[in-house]
Structures are given as structure tokens and as C-alpha cells.
Amino acid sequence: MSKFYTKLTSRVQKFMEAQKMFFVATAPNEGRINLSPKGMDSIRVVDENRILWLNLTGSGNETAAHILENNKITMMFCSFEGTPNILRIYGKGKAIHPKDKEWEDAIKLFPNIPGARQVFDITVESAQDSCGMSIPFYEYKGERNQLNDWAESQGKEKIAQYWEDKNQTSIDGKPTDILG
């Protein structure tokens, strides 16, 4: 039986922190819905109604574009080990970019990961957990280092150029505000 929460209880927070992977979904008012898997040490629960998520440089920048137009965001955490559970978090998000005054306070909560692009500040409106009994078991074998290795090899100047060339608009042509 699913259960709704108006805040992230300590049990919910512990479940989130134990997961190695989660999913993020956003949508513009018109256009494609985006659903992406995420990992690494990129989630911080600030309090029972606020999450920070560190977003790294990648091929697209859909979440940033969608959040500018429609600030709704859904995050999903699934248990692939141990007790079955699925947790969905519904909220409203705001992008914090390196150019923003809030950046330094937000980024210091995360490890130094090359290619850090945005921190999404998410106000939790509700959370829902459900059984997850149909989710298969998967064994965690470790983190992939390819994205970090690529970003480190690029350096800050080439990453900034990549943002300019590939991350200023979504696949639907919507602005991301990455460069301001």
C-alpha cells in the first residue's frame, strides 16, 4: 500500500541516502518529457522539505530548461537491494549556476566533482513510497569514472566552451540559462 508524506521523514532520508542511483523527471509546458538516471554522491537532504541535487555536465541540459519554464520535478528512488521500496518525491525546483550568488553555499555541500554544472534546489511538496515488490535485485559493483575522467581532461575552459556549444538549449530549443 502506498503512503504519502508531506515531509522527508528520517526513515525516508535514510532510504534515499542508501540508494546508489535515482531518477529525475521534468517536463516543459510543451515539448518532450525528460527522465534521466542519476548517480554519484550528488544528493543532499538539507531539511525535511528541501533537497539539493548536484547536476554534472552532460550531453543535454533538459532539466535546467524545463525548470525555467515549469518548475515541477519528480525524483524516484528504487531499492535494488534489501527490502523492496519505491520512493517518489514531488516538488518544485530552481537551478543554481556557478554564476549565481547561492552557488558557493550550495556547492560546498558536495565533493569536488569535475564538470559540476548546476545545483538544483528542490522544495519538497510531497513524497510517496510504494512496495516495489516487482523491482528486481541488482548488485552494485561500483561507480563509473568515465564522466569524471572526461570532465577532468577538458579543464574549466573547455567545459565552459562545451556549455556554450551544447548546453544552452534543450532538445526542444528551450533556453537553459546556463550562461546567463
Side-chain angles (χ1 to χ4, degrees):
M1 194 61 109
S2 68
K3 185 174 183 181
F4 272 95
Y5 304 88
T6 57
K7 61 184 180 179
L8 302 176
T9 65
S10 61
R11 186 189 68 74
V12 166
Q13 290 179 36
K14 286 176 187 167
F15 174 75
M16 290 172 60
E17 292 165 358
Q19 306 318 304
K20 305 293 187 204
M21 180 174 65
F22 60 98
F23 301 85
V24 174
T26 56
N29 293 329
E30 297 284 329
R32 295 178 182 115
I33 296 168
N34 187 60
L35 173 63
S36 295
K38 303 297 177 184
M40 297 189 197
D41 186 12
S42 62
I43 285 284
R44 294 294 178 272
V45 177
V46 177
D47 63 41
E48 55 193 23
N49 287 104
R50 186 170 171 226
I51 298 170
L52 294 179
W53 158 47
L54 175 63
N55 183 249
L56 305 174
T57 299
S59 56
N61 200 4
E62 302 307 296
T63 303
H66 295 173
I67 291 290
L68 277 175
E69 187 175 295
N70 172 357
N71 64 354
K72 292 181 183 179
I73 187 167
T74 300
M75 304 176 90
M76 184 176 76
F77 297 79
C78 297
S79 174
F80 295 108
E81 302 171 322
T83 305
N85 192 25
I86 299 171
L87 172 69
R88 290 176 185 87
I89 297 170
Y90 304 97
K92 296 195 185 241
K94 170 189 156 193
I96 302 171
H97 299 93
K99 63 182 171 52
D100 297 331
K101 64 181 181 196
E102 304 97 334
W103 177 257
E104 289 306 317
D105 286 338
I107 197 66
K108 71 182 180 185
L109 300 174
F110 298 95
N112 184 15
I113 300 176
R117 178 171 63 185
Q118 292 120 351
V119 172
F120 286 96
D121 189 340
I122 300 156
T123 301
V124 176
E125 295 180 324
S126 64
Q128 174 200 28
D129 67 5
S130 56
C131 68
M133 289 188 252
S134 68
I135 304 303
F137 286 106
Y138 282 97
E139 182 180 342
Y140 175 73
K141 292 188 176 187
E143 297 289 336
R144 295 178 194 252
N145 292 316
Q146 288 95 330
L147 184 61
N148 289 346
D149 293 345
W150 172 82
E152 196 167 300
S153 75
Q154 297 301 298
K156 289 187 180 208
E157 285 183 22
K158 286 185 180 176
I159 290 288
Q161 187 64 51
Y162 187 90
W163 292 351
E164 187 173 330
D165 295 344
K166 299 187 184 272
N167 285 174
Q168 288 195 75
T169 59
S170 72
I171 58 177
D172 292 321
K174 297 178 184 294
T176 66
D177 195 33
I178 192 163
L179 300 178

